[in-house]
Amino acid sequence: MTIEMNAMQVRAPAKINLSLRILNKRPDGFHEIETLIAPISLFDEIEIERQSRWIDFQCDDPSIPHGDDNLVVRAARAFFDSTKQKSGISITLKKKIPHGAGLGGGSSDAASTLIALNELFETNLPREALAKLSESIGSDVPFFIFQSPAICKGRGELVTPMKLPEPLSILLLKPEFGVSTAWAYQRWEDSHPIPGVTYESQEFASQTFVNDLERPVFEKFVFLAQVKMWLLKQSEVAAALMSGSGSTMFAVMRPNTDVDLIAKRAKEELDPQLWTCVCETLGGSSSPLLDAKK
């Protein structure tokens, strides 16, 4: 007897860019990049249930768009258009990953939705097919399909999964404002470094940490440069960098550090309104991100 699965719960991880190099501007208007991205132990939660028709979407964050501007809705439409499934779904999203943060929350939600629908409807599409399907949704979405650290090239859609040598202990710091990814890339060519701010590569735990988008973003959002330089002065911090286009800064912590203490110190000395999160990098696809319920 076949038991049809009717619902599924998914955890969608955030990400950080351990390195981000911009190589050039492409004829299509995007930028050619090479970036090492790692998923981290900060998750949105998604529940998907079958229903007879329509795609219904709700979210506990009222600032998240609900229509076709939402990447989760676009992912669901792309799945149904591609697989010709005659069904509908109800999607409930609980946000833990801040948006406009450079942490890939929307892209991860979209990728996790595709993975869950593939499982829920037993369509058995391989990861490569899901990644191809996701390319039109957003540049970071293919990365999240593989649920692994990866080198991403092109505009981000060429994904080569890999393993990190060891998990990294991470502190995330985000101010109340966000940064537009499109704006950051547009400003890259004409931006200038701020004197006294470190942009050079940093080395720790067999990793190189660098982000070419810091230059344009710091030029406008000077507070983020101040956060980075403050972090680098803390003896417990091995490396500090902006993730993606910001506005989240992250610190890679040295072993045996009380990370909560550093988070508390950051709020006291930088901004009491800072959002902070203590987490770690996830190593590979063995991480149990899917949780099905019948």
Side-chain angles (χ1 to χ4, degrees), residues 11 127 146-149 163 282-290:
R11 293 193 302 159
R127 295 280 167 134
F146 291 94
Q147 297 184 299
S148 168
K163 288 191 179 295
L282 302 174
S285 57
S286 59
S287 305
L289 304 182
L290 281 176

Side-chain angles (χ1 to χ4, degrees), residues 113-133:
T113 296
L114 286 174
I115 294 168
L117 291 175
N118 191 39
E119 194 90 8
L120 189 63
F121 289 94
E122 299 179 341
T123 40
N124 300 318
L125 295 175
R127 295 280 167 134
E128 290 75 16
L130 288 176
K132 191 70 180 171
L133 180 60

Side-chain angles (χ1 to χ4, degrees), residues 177-203:
F177 60 84
V179 176
S180 162
T181 299
W183 173 88
Y185 275 100
Q186 287 165 5
R187 292 289 303 152
W188 168 67
E189 283 181 293
D190 298 323
S191 60
H192 303 282
I194 299 172
V197 175
T198 300
Y199 299 86
E200 290 78 18
S201 300
Q202 305 163 59
E203 304 287 336

Side-chain angles (χ1 to χ4, degrees), residues 89-119:
I89 50 166
S90 169
I91 306 172
T92 303
L93 171 61
K94 294 180 181 177
K95 287 295 292 180
K96 301 284 178 63
I97 306 168
H99 56 282
L103 297 175
S107 296
S108 183
D109 295 339
S112 297
T113 296
L114 286 174
I115 294 168
L117 291 175
N118 191 39
E119 194 90 8

Side-chain angles (χ1 to χ4, degrees), residues 1-285:
M1 182 177 70
T2 301
I3 301 175
E4 186 179 80
M5 197 182 301
N6 290 317
M8 177 163 285
Q9 293 177 333
V10 197
R11 293 193 302 159
K15 60 84 177 169
I16 53 174
N17 298 75
L18 302 182
S19 68
L20 173 57
R21 287 294 196 186
I22 303 174
L23 306 181
N24 53 63
K25 192 168 184 180
R26 296 155 44 123
D28 61 7
F30 287 94
H31 288 77
E32 194 79 17
I33 65 170
E34 182 170 334
T35 179
L36 171 57
I37 312 179
I40 56 175
S41 57
L42 166 66
F43 302 92
D44 284 346
E45 297 174 1
I46 307 172
E47 183 162 330
I48 300 176
E49 294 187 35
R50 286 177 183 258
Q51 60 183 25
S52 57
R53 55 189 302 188
W54 313 121
I55 297 170
D56 292 327
F57 174 81
Q58 53 187 321
C59 179
D60 61 355
D61 183 341
S63 68
I64 299 296
H66 277 61
D68 287 341
D69 288 340
N70 185 279
L71 297 186
V72 168
V73 175
R74 286 169 57 185
R77 291 198 193 287
F79 175 82
F80 285 121
D81 288 346
S82 174
T83 60
K84 311 301 181 190
Q85 293 290 317
K86 305 298 182 187
S87 181
I89 50 166
S90 169
I91 306 172
T92 303
L93 171 61
K94 294 180 181 177
K95 287 295 292 180
K96 301 284 178 63
I97 306 168
H99 56 282
L103 297 175
S107 296
S108 183
D109 295 339
S112 297
T113 296
L114 286 174
I115 294 168
L117 291 175
N118 191 39
E119 194 90 8
L120 189 63
F121 289 94
E122 299 179 341
T123 40
N124 300 318
L125 295 175
R127 295 280 167 134
E128 290 75 16
L130 288 176
K132 191 70 180 171
L133 180 60
S134 73
E135 283 181 21
S136 63
I137 301 169
S139 296
D140 277 344
V141 184
F143 158 74
F144 284 107
I145 292 290
F146 291 94
Q147 297 184 299
S148 168
I151 299 283
C152 300
K153 297 182 180 180
R155 58 182 179 86
E157 83 284 7
L158 304 175
V159 181
T160 304
M162 59 171 289
K163 288 191 179 295
L164 298 179
E166 59 185 87
L168 299 173
S169 174
I170 301 294
L171 171 63
L172 306 177
L173 301 173
K174 181 192 175 298
E176 291 185 292
F177 60 84
V179 176
S180 162
T181 299
W183 173 88
Y185 275 100
Q186 287 165 5
R187 292 289 303 152
W188 168 67
E189 283 181 293
D190 298 323
S191 60
H192 303 282
I194 299 172
V197 175
T198 300
Y199 299 86
E200 290 78 18
S201 300
Q202 305 163 59
E203 304 287 336
F204 177 71
S206 304
Q207 298 293 336
T208 299
F209 301 89
V210 65
N211 185 345
D212 287 347
L213 284 177
E214 286 184 339
R215 198 179 66 204
V217 173
F218 286 1
E219 199 172 21
K220 179 176 180 181
F221 301 98
V222 181
F223 177 69
L224 297 181
Q226 294 170 343
V227 172
K228 179 178 182 178
M229 298 311 292
W230 181 89
L231 286 168
L232 289 174
K233 289 175 184 171
Q234 311 308 305
S235 60
E236 303 91 340
V237 172
L241 203 67
M242 185 176 75
S243 181
S245 57
S247 59
T248 299
M249 306 300 299
F250 71 88
V252 182
M253 311 306 297
R254 298 189 187 279
N256 306 313
T257 294
D258 186 341
V259 189
D260 289 312
L261 195 62
I262 310 302
K264 182 171 180 285
R265 192 190 305 162
K267 295 181 80 159
E268 289 172 352
E269 298 186 18
L270 291 169
D271 178 3
Q273 301 305 314
L274 273 177
W275 172 85
T276 66
C277 178
V278 176
C279 57
E280 65 177 12
T281 56
L282 302 174
S285 57

